[in-house]
Amino acid sequence: MHTHILFEHPLNEKMRTWLRIEFLNQQLRTQLPITDHASALHFFRNLGDLLDVFERGDVRTEMLKELERQQRKLQAWSEVPGVDQNRIDAVRQQLKNSGSILMAAPRIGQFLREDRLIALVRQRLSIPGGCCSFDLPTLHMWLHAPQQQRDAQVELWLNSLEPLNQALDLILDLIRNSAPFRKQTSLNGFYQDNGEDADLLRLQLDLSSQLYPQISGHKSRFAIRFVPLDSENGVIPERLDFELACC
């Protein structure tokens, strides 16, 4: 039984940001409902990181541009003979709707930034052990409120991110499905190729090789070096097969 690991590597700054947002969104939902300090701190730490990412650039503008770019790509596809026109029209409509919802939404993360409890916890997270009950009595009280009340509050917070998440899911899904996996071979642990304006590299590797990829490059050219997990005793094979999608 072979276990394959999927590695994804962004080839530009917007993709790096989007993958981080996706990762943090997934983390936000992994320990719900919030029932104790551990699940609360997991949630607030990821929420704080997400707000930090939002503050570094104009995520909404980049996403709106991407939704338009994907619509143009689909327009070009629709002129290819034999293509499923209904499917293309449906996805284009999804992109359009997602763009309208995102444009009409309040500033991304604003609702969360203005919340008093989130602000208080965020301030204390950088202090080692700074979220003890004597440091944060408000959080301590919130954790003793009825579960239903806490669940409703968390749902409100998460719902405020929905316009962004819908657009992001759609964008990443289209990008990931834009190129098939193809078998490639590295020589002495090295492989390079042209990116052809790609946004994302997706690489599948057999776990048994005990190697991981170190990827460098940008949209027009990239290089992959395979590194042993055991840096002292690991072996790099002369030829290594892997699967690569340049999306």
Side-chain angles (χ1 to χ4, degrees), residues 28-199:
L28 273 181
R29 288 164 169 76
T30 55
Q31 292 201 19
L32 295 181
I34 293 174
T35 53
D36 52 22
H37 258 93
S39 52
L41 293 184
H42 173 88
F43 180 84
F44 285 112
R45 185 164 278 115
N46 283 290
L47 199 59
D49 285 352
L50 197 55
L51 291 175
D52 287 345
V53 172
F54 293 160
E55 279 155 21
R56 282 187 202 138
D58 193 346
V59 177
R60 190 209 309 250
T61 302
E62 283 291 352
M63 277 197 189
L64 288 169
K65 277 188 206 163
E66 187 62 30
L67 289 167
E68 279 182 27
R69 184 175 81 110
Q70 291 293 341
Q71 282 187 67
R72 286 196 299 275
K73 280 172 86 171
L74 286 169
Q75 176 65 44
W77 268 103
S78 67
E79 288 154 23
V80 175
V83 78
D84 184 346
Q85 196 62 53
N86 290 340
R87 175 84 184 115
I88 282 185
D89 289 344
V91 177
R92 280 181 73 194
Q93 194 54 52
Q94 272 183 290
L95 288 164
K96 218 170 174 178
N97 293 345
S98 199
S100 303
I101 292 166
L102 186 59
M103 208 180 285
R107 186 173 167 231
I108 292 171
Q110 194 57 31
F111 178 71
L112 301 171
R113 275 185 213 96
E114 289 169 357
D115 188 277
R116 187 167 170 269
L117 180 61
I118 292 172
L120 283 169
V121 178
R122 257 183 108 188
Q123 280 172 6
R124 309 294 308 181
L125 279 170
S126 58
I127 301 164
C131 295
C132 292
S133 58
F134 60 84
D135 279 310
L136 268 178
T138 43
L139 176 65
H140 191 59
M141 281 186 74
W142 187 71
L143 287 169
H144 282 81
Q147 186 66 48
Q148 202 177 347
Q149 188 181 320
R150 212 163 34 249
D151 290 349
Q153 179 71 70
V154 169
E155 199 173 327
L156 265 180
W157 288 335
L158 293 178
N159 283 348
S160 73
L161 296 170
E162 269 314 290
L164 166 94
N165 291 344
Q166 279 178 10
L168 184 62
D169 288 349
L170 197 51
I171 287 167
L172 291 179
D173 194 45
L174 283 168
I175 289 172
R176 283 176 174 133
N177 287 304
S178 68
F181 280 101
R182 291 197 170 93
K183 189 179 159 194
Q184 308 291 357
T185 305
S186 75
L187 299 175
N188 298 314
F190 187 74
Y191 177 87
Q192 63 179 0
D193 202 355
N194 292 321
E196 292 170 2
D197 280 351
D199 290 304

Side-chain angles (χ1 to χ4, degrees), residues 10-19 172 175 199-200:
L11 292 173
N12 51 48
E13 198 51 46
K14 66 174 185 187
M15 182 55 72
R16 186 171 283 110
T17 299
W18 294 343
L19 290 179
L172 291 179
I175 289 172
D199 290 304
L200 178 70

